[in-house]
């Protein structure tokens, strides 16, 4: 027997992480409790279930098309970013940066007292790169020169964020962007984030500053790490406002 159908009205927040292996095998559902207005982290992991007819919150065919197009765009961006580093166009792709991604749907319910909480606490993403689609509600902010700057929604525009792993690999030539989402009273907000990362895939590859970028005047700032180790550290630390990268710095 399949799982009980879900009533979207009963879910304060649903994030579905969809593996982009081409086959949509499973959807992981994280339910955040209704005390979301006080907490900004998931407090309950309730269900891991096979994709069945139970979830109609997200259209599967649209999701797969979005995933496919995000993959193409991501690889084009990795080419441009490789060249921006003075490397050959295929360098970052050769390091598997575009090989895997996962898609996260964020649903922020309207909050009666937005000044008391956050939609999402400040953080940088623990991936190579994030492509983000936000709806028209607004609330996303990035930290720039110690000031929170609004990223206003533009119809048809995507937001692209450098993730922690690209900061590490580029030896800080690229900086991962700290961002957060304000809670709001206006109405529910939805965003779709495509994270380029390989930690959901079996890989033994380790990541550190790219050798071609290093020299006597540009010594490595970070140590080599596996993605599993990096993510484990990020998850253990939580969104405490500090960068997970500090732990991997060679000279603190
Ligand atoms: O909802 C947003 O605009 C951003 C979400 C986000 O930062 C994330 O999922 O990592
Ligand atoms: Fe993020």
């Amino acid at each position: 027997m399949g799982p009980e159908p879900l009533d979207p009205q009963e879910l304060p927040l649903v994030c579905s992480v969809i593996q982009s292996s081409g086959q949509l095998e499973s959807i992981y559902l994280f339910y955040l409790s209704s005390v979301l207005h006080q907490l900004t982290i998931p407090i309950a992991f309730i269900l891991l279930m096979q994709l069945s007819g139970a979830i109609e919150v997200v259209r599967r065919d649209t999701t797969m098309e979005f995933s496919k197009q995000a993959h193409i765009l991501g690889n084009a961006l990795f080419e441009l970013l490789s060249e921006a580093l003075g490397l050959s166009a295929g360098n970052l792709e050769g390091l598997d940066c575009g090989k895997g991604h996962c898609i996260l749907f964020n649903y922020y319910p309207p909050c009666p007292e937005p000044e008391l909480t956050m939609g999402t606490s400040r953080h940088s993403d623990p991936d190579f790169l994030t492509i983000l689609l936000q709806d028209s509600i607004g609330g996303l902010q990035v930290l720039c020169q110690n000031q929170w700057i609004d990223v206003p929604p533009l119809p048809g525009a995507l937001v692209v964020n450098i993730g922690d792993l690209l900061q590490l690999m580029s030896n800080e030539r690229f900086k991962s962007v700290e961002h957060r989402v304000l809670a709001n009273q206006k109405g529910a907000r939805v965003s779709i984030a495509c994270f380029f990362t390989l930690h959901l895939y079996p890989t033994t590859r380790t990541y550190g500053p790219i050798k071609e970028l290093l020299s006597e005047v540009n010594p490595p700032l970070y140590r080599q790490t596996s993605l599993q180790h990096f993510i484990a550290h990020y998850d253990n630390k939580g969104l405490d406002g500090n960068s997970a990268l500090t732990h991997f710095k060679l000279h603190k």
Side-chain angles (χ1 to χ4, degrees):
M1 217 176 68
E4 287 283 309
L6 302 169
D7 178 1
Q9 299 304 317
E10 284 176 16
L11 302 181
L13 196 149
V14 177
C15 309
S16 56
V17 178
I18 299 173
Q19 292 187 356
S20 63
S21 59
Q23 278 184 325
L24 195 51
E25 282 165 357
S26 55
I27 281 194
Y28 304 76
L29 283 182
F30 298 82
Y31 292 17
L32 301 200
S33 90
S34 55
V35 291
L36 180 75
H37 294 147
Q38 282 89 47
L39 295 178
T40 56
I41 52 165
I43 65 158
F45 173 82
I46 310 230
L47 266 181
L48 163 62
M49 61 192 219
Q50 286 299 315
L51 179 66
S52 67
I55 307 156
E56 292 303 336
V57 180
V58 176
R59 283 185 59 98
R60 272 165 270 157
D61 49 352
T62 312
T63 305
M64 290 314 286
E65 186 57 25
F66 181 81
S67 173
K68 201 170 111 194
Q69 296 302 330
H71 178 77
I72 295 168
L73 176 60
N75 279 310
L77 290 170
F78 283 123
E79 281 192 11
L80 292 172
L81 290 167
S82 298
E83 288 179 344
L85 289 171
L87 303 169
S88 63
N91 193 290
L92 292 173
E93 233 185 306
L95 295 170
D96 292 344
C97 293
K99 192 168 167 189
H101 63 272
C102 66
I103 294 182
L104 184 77
F105 294 82
N106 294 304
Y107 174 79
Y108 303 87
C111 177
E113 295 179 288
E115 61 290 347
L116 298 183
T117 189
M118 277 289 151
T120 298
S121 307
R122 67 186 282 178
H123 68 282
S124 49
D125 295 338
D127 60 355
F128 302 113
L129 194 76
T130 306
I131 296 175
L132 184 83
L133 177 64
Q134 56 170 335
D135 69 8
S136 59
I137 290 282
L140 176 64
Q141 295 187 321
V142 293
L143 193 62
C144 183
Q145 294 173 347
N146 244 4
Q147 289 215 325
W148 287 106
I149 309 288
D150 288 331
V151 183
L154 291 177
L158 296 164
V159 177
V160 176
N161 287 337
I162 298 282
D164 285 346
L165 291 169
L166 220 46
Q167 173 166 332
L168 177 140
M169 291 164 73
S170 70
N171 211 33
E172 290 193 356
R173 294 268 293 278
F174 295 142
K175 293 278 173 63
S176 62
V177 65
E178 271 204 79
H179 53 285
R180 68 181 187 182
V181 181
L182 301 180
N184 85 86
Q185 228 166 2
K186 278 183 278 179
R189 175 177 186 273
V190 173
S191 70
I192 305 175
C194 177
F195 300 103
F196 284 84
T197 174
L198 276 182
H199 76 273
L200 295 172
Y201 293 73
T203 174
T204 50
R205 204 185 256 285
T206 58
Y207 287 87
I210 296 170
K211 301 256 171 330
E212 291 94 311
L213 300 176
L214 303 178
S215 64
E216 228 165 275
V217 283
N218 277 315
L221 299 173
Y222 296 97
R223 61 190 163 90
Q224 202 82 9
T225 175
S226 72
L227 296 186
Q228 283 70 21
H229 187 143
F230 183 80
I231 290 294
H233 174 72
Y234 187 98
D235 288 346
N236 280 340
K237 191 184 70 57
L239 300 189
D240 61 357
N242 299 310
S243 170
L245 284 170
T246 311
H247 181 71
F248 299 89
K249 276 235 161 181
L250 282 171
H251 308 287
K252 293 178 189 155

